Amino acid sequence: MLRIDCPYCGIRDEVEFRYGGESHLSRPQPEVDDVQWSDYLFNRKNTKGVFFERWCHSYGCGQWFNVARNTVTHEILKTYVMGEPKPEIKQ
Amino acid sequence: MATAYYLAAKHGIRKVAVIEKGWLGGGNSGRNTQVVRSNYFWPQSADFYEYSLKLYERLNAELNFNVMLSQRGILSLAHSHHELESQRRWANSIQINGIDSEVMNPQQIKKLVPSINLQGRLPVHGGFIQKRGGIARHDAVVWAYARAASNLGVDIIQETEVTDFKITEGRITGVKTSQGQVSADRVCISVAGHTSVLARKAGFRLPITSMALQAMVSEPIKPCLNTVVISNMIHVYVSQSDRGELVIGGAADLYNSYAQRGGIPVLEENMAAFLKLFPSFSRLRLNRQWAGIVDITPDTTPIMGKTPVKNLYINCGFGTGGYKAIPAGGDTMAYTIAKDKTHPLIQDFNLERFAKGKLVDESAAAGVEH
């Protein structure tokens, strides 16, 4: 069971949350070609190691926020609100 | 492993090395739940998986190894009128694809699976069965291909990890491994959950998410379940192995993971769903529980064929259902590698389909939530 530190509610169990995949994606301009658009839409880093991702506290406050988590150990290194820049995390 | 076998057996290419990070059958090929079937909706998937099932049907003779294929049928349950309607459409589509499929009413299901509880919180309204579906012994399939390939001169190099690729002017020239370099004019990445990691080293991105999919087996009991039962709605599937263990699986742990272990919440959900269908199994103990890392694509259809790097091929994205595709995946990839031309059966499974919007959406046929 992951214990996730929601920035709004504090530490809660994994089952209260919904996963949202990779974070810090930015939508390209509408003029870009199909290759660039599909890269934004489908391609993902899928990092082995420290990964920056979105979670939603759907059975709590309902807020989306960011989590830095290690995908090998599942250790949660940091949670931070949307809009904050990617934190520096030593690998 | 299958690709190497077919390269040697069908195309006469015997200077093949299979480089395996761990040991043979130690990854997903030894962690899956042994189900083989071809009940897919879209014609291109149906053709591919039906070809695979047909290869399974004659695998014993081809490889001179008993893979213990048991075509005991795979039964998908519907828990509402609406789900049954969509299953009718699905079963109809399978028939149009030329594959066996029959819709069943609750009485027929009860007769086939007497231990099932049709009146749970989500009652069983019906279902459909592919009688040629079933299970085959997963370790035997790996060993059979390995022995046959080895007899033809294929080198199987275990406990050796590919650490990087050698690429010259956009063309592959070899791989770097933990034991040194191997030169090769053609290379195929066939590593399931770790495909993104290797693709990044080769310099391209993939639409893949790696997640843990868990499975578990009970203590062995006498034969009591003679078909594979799957419920998409409450997320569980179960069959009984030849050793008598009930093999149970369900939803994936729905977050990125490279840890080969599953979380307790999903395990509990799987068990709850299993016991809703089979309350009489509630006193059974679980012997083992484990997880494999599956590579899930946006349309749950695999990615097979060429890559942006010349002579580097890819065979990945099978997500939760790669086992049933082993023979066809190996055969079609061997053709693609030998001729540097995509096999007709896997033409629509190319990497470019995402930019073209030509997705093959098989999320329902995947059978489990992800």
Side-chain angles (χ1 to χ4, degrees):
Chain A
M1 176 78 79
L2 298 180
R3 301 269 288 152
I4 301 170
D5 188 8
C6 170
Y8 305 94
C9 309
I11 294 178
R12 300 291 176 88
D13 285 350
E14 164 192 346
V15 290
E16 290 187 18
F17 297 86
R18 194 175 119 209
Y19 189 58
E22 186 176 330
S23 196
H24 301 288
L25 298 174
S26 52
R27 186 168 60 219
Q29 293 301 311
E31 303 84 63
V32 297
D33 63 18
D34 289 349
V35 173
Q36 283 169 288
W37 185 254
S38 71
D39 183 64
Y40 157 70
L41 216 51
F42 298 118
N43 287 344
R44 293 293 176 261
K45 281 191 183 127
N46 198 21
T47 313
K48 183 178 184 178
V50 179
F51 187 56
F52 299 92
E53 58 195 16
R54 299 175 302 178
W55 287 80
C56 177
H57 195 184
S58 43
Y59 294 102
C61 60
Q63 296 276 3
W64 283 93
F65 58 94
N66 289 320
V67 176
R69 185 178 59 92
N70 187 314
T71 57
V72 181
T73 62
H74 292 176
E75 184 188 359
I76 292 170
L77 302 152
K78 194 173 165 60
T79 57
Y80 53 104
V81 299
M82 282 289 164
E84 261 188 46
K86 243 185 225 184
E88 287 285 327
I89 287 176
K90 280 181 195 157
Q91 297 272 346
Chain B
M1 200 66 250
T3 306
Y5 166 75
Y6 288 112
L7 273 173
K10 274 193 156 177
H11 304 282
I13 299 172
R14 297 184 177 201
K15 283 182 76 174
V16 180
V18 177
I19 301 175
E20 163 64 53
K21 180 174 74 170
W23 65 94
L24 209 58
N28 289 358
S29 55
R31 287 168 187 265
N32 61 74
T33 47
Q34 315 199 114
V35 175
V36 294
R37 57 186 172 90
S38 59
N39 53 355
Y40 279 74
F41 187 84
W42 296 104
Q44 50 270 66
S45 317
D47 288 349
F48 176 75
Y49 289 105
E50 176 63 9
Y51 180 56
S52 204
L53 188 55
K54 283 183 174 153
L55 289 176
Y56 262 117
E57 285 170 343
R58 49 176 202 263
L59 211 55
N60 285 359
E62 165 138 21
L63 303 177
N64 186 26
F65 202 113
N66 184 5
V67 299
M68 296 160 78
L69 174 68
S70 164
Q71 292 176 294
R72 56 184 66 185
I74 176 158
L75 170 66
S76 302
L77 301 176
H79 294 276
S80 68
H81 172 73
H82 308 286
E83 195 182 9
L84 187 58
E85 284 301 300
S86 71
Q87 285 196 353
R88 277 188 211 284
R89 177 169 175 254
W90 187 1
N92 191 38
S93 157
I94 296 165
Q95 287 174 359
I96 292 168
N97 291 333
I99 296 164
D100 67 302
S101 175
E102 292 166 40
V103 174
M104 293 175 80
N105 64 35
Q107 292 75 32
Q108 289 168 315
I109 290 172
K110 187 74 183 169
K111 200 176 168 199
L112 180 69
V113 190
S115 52
I116 201 166
N117 172 26
L118 298 175
Q119 302 300 329
R121 193 174 75 79
L122 293 163
V124 176
H125 282 239
F128 76 99
I129 189 166
Q130 184 190 12
K131 287 187 174 164
R132 285 170 56 248
I135 57 173
R137 177 94 185 110
H138 53 189
D139 294 322
V141 172
V142 183
W143 296 331
Y145 274 115
R147 188 181 69 172
S150 180
N151 286 346
L152 291 168
V154 170
D155 291 319
I156 302 167
I157 305 160
Q158 300 182 79
E159 294 183 4
T160 302
E161 184 174 0
V162 171
T163 52
D164 207 352
F165 296 98
K166 289 196 288 177
I167 296 167
T168 317
E169 292 169 3
R171 173 189 285 268
I172 195 94
T173 56
V175 294
K176 291 175 189 166
T177 77
S178 52
Q179 307 251 41
Q181 298 196 5
V182 182
S183 292
D185 50 9
R186 290 177 193 191
V187 174
C188 178
I189 302 175
S190 210
V191 297
H194 279 68
T195 311
S196 300
V197 176
L198 283 184
R200 186 172 308 116
K201 285 173 178 161
F204 58 94
R205 274 158 64 82
L206 289 172
I208 280 179
T209 299
S210 294
M211 288 180 176
L213 179 67
Q214 39 182 315
M216 56 223 74
V217 296
S218 75
E219 57 191 330
I221 49 175
K222 288 189 174 176
C224 61
L225 182 64
N226 61 353
T227 188
V228 184
V229 180
I230 176 164
S231 166
N232 277 358
M233 174 68 86
I234 60 174
H235 291 139
V236 70
Y237 60 94
V238 58
S239 65
Q240 190 172 23
S241 76
D242 290 311
R243 288 191 298 227
E245 302 156 328
L246 293 174
V247 185
I248 307 153
D253 286 45
L254 294 176
Y255 48 83
N256 284 39
S257 174
Y258 284 91
Q260 286 180 316
R261 56 189 158 83
I264 296 297
V266 171
L267 171 70
E268 284 180 345
E269 272 175 35
N270 284 355
M271 283 295 102
F274 169 60
L275 293 179
K276 271 175 201 154
L277 285 180
F278 298 99
S280 55
F281 293 144
S282 64
R283 303 293 294 273
L284 280 181
R285 281 165 295 193
L286 284 184
N287 259 4
R288 299 187 302 282
Q289 175 254 8
W290 67 91
I293 302 306
V294 295
D295 46 347
I296 292 165
T297 60
D299 56 358
T300 60
T301 288
I303 301 170
M304 303 174 74
K306 298 183 181 185
T307 69
V309 179
K310 185 135 180 56
N311 289 356
L312 178 64
Y313 307 88
I314 202 164
N315 180 13
C316 68
F318 281 93
T320 56
Y323 174 68
K324 70 178 100 65
I326 288 172
D331 191 354
T332 55
M333 283 312 295
Y335 177 103
T336 305
I337 296 165
K339 299 184 191 301
D340 191 32
K341 186 170 156 247
T342 308
H343 190 286
L345 273 179
I346 58 170
Q347 248 159 12
D348 287 341
F349 301 164
N350 57 55
L351 182 55
E352 295 82 48
R353 72 174 183 268
F354 298 97
K356 290 177 186 156
K358 221 183 148 197
L359 274 61
V360 186
D361 187 355
E362 288 287 4
S363 46
V368 292
E369 183 191 32
H370 46 62

